[in-house]
Amino acid sequence: MSTPVRRTALGALAALGAVAAHDLVQKKHAVLRNFPVVGHARYLVERLGPELRQYVVASNDEERPFSRDQRRFVYASAKMENAYVGFGTDNDVERTVGYPVVRHRTFPEQPVGVMPHDGDDVHLPGAKVLGGPRGRRHAFRPASLVNISGMSFGSLSGPALEAMNRGAHAVGAWHNTGEGGLSRHHQHGGDLVFQVGTAYFACRDDQGRFDLDALADLVAANPVVAVEIKLSQGAKPGLGGMLPGAKVNHEIAEARGIEVGEDCASPARHTAFHDVDSMLDLVERIADRTGLPVGIKSAVGDLHFWDELVAAMADGTRGVDFVTVDGGEGGTGAAPMLFSDSVAYPFRLGFAEVRRRFDEAGIADRVTFIGSGKLGIPENALVALALGVDLLNVGREAMLAVGCIQAQKCHTDHCPTGVATQKVRYTRGLDPTDKSVRVANYVRSLRRDLSKVASAVGVPHPALITTDDLDVLEGDRRRTGLGELYGYGPGGGRLGDALTEDLRRLMAGGGPGRTEVSSPAG
């Protein structure tokens, strides 16, 4: 090899070595830290993507479960980059069936504030006092309309959960633990909603049965603000799970209250109750013992369950404080394709069926409705709010903010960005301090954009957007009101008059923070 060629080769190797060294020590990009040098190809393709897609591959809206446009919104929001688009929409509005459109108002009925600027941190609390109608001792108004959905330690990595918890704390949001217990990664300042699953992790006795004393001790020792009993989830409704003993390390065992190395089974159904009546008895026992609001989470399948629940709550003697409806398109948990694709209703249809039953019984104002299932995308969030959701839980969107690239390797333990894996090979690349800032930025950006749309509609809070404010299009041929499409009656999905006035006064006065209240049962 001639001297000039040798020098060129050595120079190239030195340059690559310098790039590799930089990639290994930097903390902003998990892909580069885990895959030095070659990881730059991903960002190159991402940068050239708009030009390449004019000729090959897919359009901005074709990919699933999150399209390129949807991921771009989350990434840009998390990095505080420009999330605007130019040259008009590239959505196929003329042909798309089911396309939601917001009906902005030229002259609002009541004056609203100036639309927030891009850098503004919008005060956007929950629409209702959680646990207030049933007089729970620790009832409170959530400080954030947008919160972090339930994702277990074991399903997600410790650094990913730490980033989410720190980010939630920074923006006043809560962080749902998921059913896998409460780990040290959940303890970085964020308020917690403790999820009780079918295996009763972290609140079980030696035989795996639900233990109220253990739950009370756990709640007393941690910043838990509410308890959620998980009946099912959108990713795998009606299906249990198994974590092989080989994956049950000391940290996971400690968080779940099980033995190291033992197979860890989650049954398909609860053993602490067997019907609506016994479920409500358990809800009241937990609430009486802890003083916390207690609710349920479920995907929507058999509607008879919801009929029974509404009937049992009608007299006001017992009831859940909140209902989290998870859409069948939800997916932070790995599942067989059949369950992921075809079991449980999609969010809009499922939630509308549930909310309509509470409306017709006249008890909707007693319950806080929480939605999850791709609701961290603004247009989905707006439809959910119009249908009557009071709070939004974001799951996969929070994963994207932390660094997920939708590789869809969650079930293999080989997530390349360290989000959905326990392998140190990958998790070392995820810096929770840096990623927590991105989670916070994303939540702030979503709240800001929802607030902007509320201003355009002429209301001070997104929860005051109603089904009258959205139409659903069949291409450019026909429009149908959202309420008509989902069978809502007059006033369906809306806050009652008293709650509306309370929320208007709160937004007029401003002021951050979570407000503890004590309200009489009603």
Side-chain angles (χ1 to χ4, degrees), residues 8-24:
T8 301
L10 290 174
L13 288 173
L16 287 174
V19 171
H22 171 267
D23 291 346
L24 287 169

Side-chain angles (χ1 to χ4, degrees), residues 239-365:
L239 182 69
M242 173 67 75
L243 185 65
K247 292 187 177 181
V248 181
N249 58 28
H250 174 76
E251 200 169 16
I252 291 176
E254 183 180 20
R256 299 194 177 199
I258 58 177
E259 295 297 323
V260 175
E262 284 190 4
D263 288 346
C264 177
S266 295
R269 292 175 177 82
H270 283 267
T271 57
F273 55 88
H274 59 277
D275 58 14
V276 167
D277 188 60
S278 55
M279 182 187 76
L280 290 180
D281 283 343
L282 180 63
V283 166
E284 295 300 334
R285 286 172 54 210
I286 294 173
D288 289 345
R289 182 68 178 274
T290 66
L292 298 177
V294 181
I296 58 173
K297 173 182 179 176
S298 182
V300 180
D302 175 32
L303 297 175
H304 183 61
F305 163 77
W306 299 100
D307 292 329
E308 287 187 336
L309 178 61
V310 169
M313 290 179 57
D315 64 4
T317 57
R318 297 176 302 166
V320 296
D321 297 297
F322 62 93
V323 171
T324 303
V325 172
D326 198 16
E329 66 272 53
T332 58
M337 184 177 294
L338 176 62
F339 278 80
S340 184
D341 289 350
S342 302
V343 181
Y345 291 116
F347 175 80
R348 294 179 189 178
L349 182 58
F351 178 80
E353 292 287 349
V354 173
R355 176 64 199 239
R356 196 169 65 240
R357 283 162 167 75
F358 280 86
D359 282 335
E360 291 170 353
I363 61 173
D365 281 356

Side-chain angles (χ1 to χ4, degrees), residues 371-415:
S372 59
K374 297 181 70 173
L375 302 189
I377 304 303
E379 58 266 31
N380 294 340
L382 286 169
V383 173
L385 291 163
L387 287 171
V389 162
D390 302 307
L391 296 170
L392 302 166
N393 276 356
V394 297
R396 284 173 293 178
E397 298 89 338
M399 292 171 65
L400 291 170
V402 166
C404 167
I405 58 173
Q406 195 170 280
Q408 296 181 286
K409 299 288 187 181
C410 312
H411 59 297
T412 68
D413 206 28
H414 289 282
C415 169

Side-chain angles (χ1 to χ4, degrees), residues 175-193:
H175 181 195
N176 191 305
T177 63
E179 66 176 312
L182 199 159
S183 72
R184 64 183 179 86
H185 306 291
H186 292 103
Q187 298 171 319
H188 293 276
D191 284 345
L192 299 173
V193 172

Side-chain angles (χ1 to χ4, degrees), residues 109 140 304:
E109 296 176 4
F140 68 100
H304 183 61

Side-chain angles (χ1 to χ4, degrees), residues 1 16 32 90 110 154 160 193 223 236-237 255 337 341 361 404 416 429-430 498 519:
M1 183 182 295
L16 287 174
L32 296 182
D90 59 4
Q110 298 186 27
V193 172
K236 46 183 177 182
M337 184 177 294
D341 289 350
C404 167
L430 199 161
S519 305

Side-chain angles (χ1 to χ4, degrees), residues 460-471:
H461 190 286
L464 297 175
I465 295 173
T466 73
T467 54
D468 291 341
D469 299 315
L470 274 82
D471 283 338

